Amino acid sequence: MWKNLAEAHVLALEYLSESGGSDVFNCGYGHGYSVREVVNAAKKMTGIDFPVEEVGRREGDPPVLISKNEKIISTLRWKPNYDDLSYIIKDRMGLGKEAGRW
């Protein structure tokens, strides 16, 4: 997963050096996951039924946040390769194991 994000950074640096100007790009998938979806996927992937306290949205929190990725796709020809929540969680779990977190 990190290779894909690193690729976006390399492409952005090449764009910067070739165009002479800076710009802003979002490296998202163009859709999102709810907190509940992430929690449920994490419980399934880890096999741990960890406790979750559901509370209301905090004041000022937007109901949805989704990164628009059309610009990075059209300008830098970059696309997200890891759009599967289970894969993302498994990848992050591997880093936790490497760091001795579980």
Side-chain angles (χ1 to χ4, degrees):
M1 190 166 89
W2 289 110
K3 288 180 183 180
N4 194 218
L5 188 56
E7 177 190 12
H9 283 81
V10 169
L11 290 170
L13 287 171
E14 290 171 354
Y15 175 83
L16 181 63
S17 68
E18 292 169 7
S19 72
S22 65
D23 210 332
V24 177
F25 299 97
N26 289 318
C27 297
Y29 301 109
H31 66 85
Y33 296 103
S34 71
V35 173
R36 185 174 288 126
E37 287 174 308
V38 174
V39 167
N40 289 339
K43 285 183 173 190
K44 182 178 178 182
M45 293 298 298
T46 63
I48 301 169
D49 187 19
F50 51 84
V52 175
E53 180 182 351
E54 291 195 30
V55 297
R57 186 178 296 131
R58 298 171 298 186
E59 184 177 338
D61 280 352
V64 176
L65 284 175
I66 298 175
S67 175
K68 294 176 71 175
N69 61 4
E70 293 90 357
K71 185 176 173 182
I72 194 168
I73 291 171
S74 65
T75 306
L76 303 183
R77 305 288 187 246
W78 179 86
K79 67 180 180 88
N81 291 331
Y82 306 102
D83 193 4
D84 177 81
L85 187 55
S86 295
Y87 177 85
I88 294 168
I89 291 170
K90 184 178 179 182
D91 184 65
R92 300 298 86 208
M93 287 172 53
L95 286 179
K97 287 179 182 176
E98 290 173 15
R101 293 188 182 127
W102 50 69

